[in-house]
Every structure is written in C-alpha cells, then in structure tokens.
Amino acid sequence: MSQDTETRPTAAALCMTMATLLIGGVDTLIIILSEQIGLWQFHFVRALFAAPLVMILPLLGLGTLRPRRIWAIAVRSGLVGLSMLLYFSALALMPIAQALAGLFTSPIFILLISWIFFRQRVGFVRISSVIIGFIGILMVLQLKTDNLTGLTFLPIAAGFFYALGALATRTICAGESTVALLAGMWVMLWIMGAVGLVVLAVFPIEAAEGSAGFATRGWIWPIWSSLKWLIMQAWLSVIAVFLIIKAYQLGEASHVSIFEYSVMVFGPLYALFLFDQTLVFPQVAGIGLVITAGVVVALRSRPT
C-alpha cells in the first residue's frame, strides 16, 4: 500500500468516526479490568494478544511492518504510549467523565502547537468548531469547577502528549506505513508494561483494593477471568488505533482531531445500554453541539 501526504479530509473524518465508535465501547472495559489486574500487566498482556492481529495486516495488503525511519516511529510511539499510560491511569483513579474531559483537551493543544510552531493557518470555522465541540463535551460530562482536583491534570497531561503524537504522525512520520506506526505503538506499550512490572517486582508497592490500585498493582496470576476482556480490548483497540493513525495520515491534525469528539456521542450510548446510565437534557444538548461541530467541519474543510 503506498503512503503519501495527500490531504483527504472526508476520508480522514470517516476513519476517525469509525475509530471512536469502537473506542467508545472499548474504554468501558477498563472499568472491569482495573479491579482485576494492574495497569502494567494490562498493557503487557494485551500487547501480546494484539501482536498476531497486527502481523496479519500486511498479509491483507494494508501496509508493511518495515519502517522508513525507526527513530521517528520510536518518538511517536513514546508520545502516544505515555499518553495512554496517563489516560488509563486516570480512568481508574477518577470518574470517567473527568478522564475524558482531560484527554479531549488534545485538539486545543494541536491547534496551539500548529499555529505557534508550524505557522499553520487556522481558520475561523475550525477554531469555532473546536470551541463548540469542547463546550458540548463539558455539557455531556457535566464537568464543574468544584469537581476539579490535582488528579485533573493527569488526563490533561495525557491530552498534551496525545496531541504531540498526533502531530508527529503527520510530520516526522509522513510516508510511514500505517501498519508500521501501529506496530510501533504496541511494541512501545509492551515495553512500558514490562518495565513497570519489573520495577514493581523489585520495588513492590502495596496496592489498594479495586480500581484504586490499578496503577500500583504488579503481576496478578491467575487472570483467567480477565482474559476474555483483555482479548476483546486488544483486538478492538488494534482496529480502532489503525483507523486513528490512518485518519491522521489522511488529514490535518487540527481537522482530524475535531472528529475525535464523536466518542462523546458513542460513549453515552454504550453507557446507556451496558450500564443503564440515562442522559439529562444538558447532556443531550451537549451531544447536539458535538455533532454540529463535526458536521460544520466536514462540510467546510478544504485542503490547505
């Protein structure tokens, strides 16, 4: 599969929307897994389950595992991997609403970095859509100032590093195979998981019960009750991350990031059907703003 830097905003938006449809459900599995195993074991084991699926992708003609610039993929993988560690830690330490709200500061960081460091022209429509989408997310999550604590900065840090990873996908990793970028991320998460497990084995920390001990829990065995969730999380994540990487290859980061807001449409739907969580009117209105922001960008975006 040939890779280039052609900008295709519609295809990028479609890839991102399909990815968020999957992620909206995948992230809910962390609620279950965080009470059974630890963060580092989670990344270590699920990377092993993800590996066969990633290796099959080249056989399907979806790309090559061979990187053009190993250093570039390593840098991007480190940024995305760090973002995921912070985000999944936040999911276990605070309400999912705060974790998502923090992570979704990434489009703001992308716009700021693109404008300040890359001198990229950011139009009024795009800026307005980011603002509208972000307000919509706050309404969906019902985030209030009295809910803010020191832990709020954990997912915000995840959002910052995720933004850097998204920009790296389009800049230093331009021309790389989607599969090579995907494999690089999983290898990095496996390494991070292994390092965390070794550190906790050498310097054990007494982990709290339940999800509160997710980030400080070492190796747990047996994990038979967690395997089905780990396999599901790994395989769906491979597909979702493949689509995310492809989206950032096809479109500008500041454009593509808008469509990541759609996870806040799918997330509440999964919560409704899986956990019987209903929505109040401000949340429904917020979803409307998120959809509006996405539609405006899809209709008005043009290659620059």
Side-chain angles (χ1 to χ4, degrees):
M1 180 178 62
S2 62
Q3 299 289 331
D4 53 48
T5 58
E6 178 188 0
T7 301
R8 296 166 57 191
T10 301
L14 181 60
C15 284
M16 182 58 75
T17 302
M18 290 190 295
T20 56
L21 175 62
L22 293 174
I23 290 174
V26 165
D27 280 357
T28 62
L29 297 179
I30 304 302
I31 299 174
I32 301 172
L33 288 168
S34 64
E35 297 189 354
Q36 300 176 352
I37 61 175
L39 171 70
W40 311 101
Q41 186 177 12
F42 164 72
H43 284 299
F44 181 82
V45 175
R46 77 164 183 154
L48 294 178
F49 284 124
L53 189 56
V54 173
M55 295 177 67
I56 289 174
L57 295 177
L59 301 179
L60 300 176
L62 297 175
T64 175
L65 285 169
R66 181 176 299 176
R68 295 185 178 183
R69 296 175 296 278
I70 295 180
W71 68 267
I73 289 183
V75 169
R76 178 198 175 274
S77 299
L79 292 169
V80 175
L82 182 55
S83 172
M84 292 300 97
L85 287 177
L86 293 169
Y87 173 59
F88 285 123
S89 297
L91 281 175
L93 294 173
M94 65 180 63
I96 193 170
Q98 292 186 21
L100 282 171
L103 182 66
F104 274 84
T105 58
S106 60
I108 305 300
F109 286 122
I110 288 174
L111 280 176
L112 290 175
I113 294 171
S114 298
W115 175 52
I116 296 173
F117 294 100
F118 295 99
R119 303 299 181 187
Q120 189 177 89
R121 187 172 56 188
V122 180
F124 174 78
V125 170
R126 203 171 299 170
I127 293 175
S128 300
S129 297
V130 168
I131 295 173
I132 291 172
F134 189 67
I135 291 174
I137 286 177
L138 295 181
M139 293 175 64
V140 172
L141 301 179
Q142 295 186 306
L143 194 65
K144 301 177 182 178
T145 55
D146 57 0
N147 291 332
L148 300 179
T149 66
L151 292 176
T152 303
F153 294 100
L154 194 63
I156 289 176
F160 174 72
F161 285 109
Y162 188 80
L164 292 179
L167 289 168
T169 301
R170 185 67 177 170
T171 54
I172 63 173
C173 292
E176 295 286 354
S177 164
T178 307
V179 176
L181 293 173
L182 180 65
M185 187 208 71
W186 282 107
V187 170
M188 182 61 69
L189 287 174
W190 180 82
I191 292 173
M192 289 178 170
V195 170
L197 287 171
V198 170
V199 170
L200 287 175
V202 177
F203 305 102
I205 300 175
E206 185 176 355
E209 293 292 330
S211 60
F214 187 49
T216 56
R217 191 174 294 130
W219 183 265
I220 300 295
W221 192 263
I223 58 169
W224 307 123
S225 62
S226 303
L227 280 181
K228 62 181 178 181
W229 305 118
L230 280 168
I231 294 173
M232 185 183 301
Q233 217 281 343
W235 289 357
L236 292 179
S237 292
V238 168
I239 298 172
V241 175
F242 177 90
L243 291 171
I244 289 174
I245 294 173
K246 193 65 181 176
Y248 278 111
Q249 287 181 318
L250 292 172
E252 292 180 17
S254 55
H255 164 224
V256 174
S257 62
I258 302 291
F259 291 90
E260 288 188 89
Y261 282 130
S262 61
V263 74
M264 295 313 306
V265 176
F266 304 125
L269 291 177
Y270 281 111
L272 175 63
F273 290 109
L274 297 178
F275 300 102
D276 197 28
Q277 296 179 3
T278 58
L279 298 174
V280 296
F281 176 75
Q283 292 176 306
V284 176
I287 289 175
L289 290 180
V290 173
I291 295 174
T292 299
V295 170
V296 169
V297 172
L299 295 176
R300 295 291 299 275
S301 287
R302 295 291 186 274
T304 60

